[in-house]
Amino acid sequence: MVLQSINNAAQVNGTWQGTGVTLNAASVQVDPGSSINADGQGYVGQAGLGGGQNGNSTGGSYGGAGGGLPASTIYGSATAPTDLGSGGGEYGGTGGNGAAPSG
């Protein structure tokens, strides 16, 4: 099963409104060798409230500053994430995607 975030590439009505996935189940079995992974399901490169900037290699922020300077806007909680993580800056290539919250 593959579930993906939505609205992770651009603003919706002038604001960042990315949405992750909620899986409601009475029980979940994760087989050996399998995983639940939200890596790369956040905002795409340079997108999101704390997105890295074009022309430098700053990391996207969420719950703390992304790596590099200048620092991206910090938003959200590091211990109780509810929003998508911002994408990294682009410098000589495409910025990496942020992560989606998992709980």
Side-chain angles (χ1 to χ4, degrees):
M1 176 185 318
V2 176
L3 307 172
Q4 297 178 315
S5 60
I6 60 171
N7 299 334
N8 66 350
Q11 292 185 354
V12 177
N13 296 323
T15 62
W16 294 106
Q17 298 181 22
T19 304
V21 173
T22 301
L23 178 62
N24 293 313
S27 65
V28 175
Q29 177 179 326
V30 181
D31 293 331
S34 298
S35 66
I36 297 175
N37 185 321
D39 291 353
Q41 287 297 307
Y43 289 108
V44 298
Q46 294 184 273
L49 183 61
Q53 300 174 3
N54 187 23
N56 64 49
S57 55
T58 55
S61 294
Y62 183 90
L69 293 174
S72 301
T73 301
I74 299 170
Y75 66 104
S77 169
T79 58
T82 58
D83 299 309
L84 301 181
S86 294
E90 298 183 6
Y91 183 75
T94 302
N97 293 358
S102 60

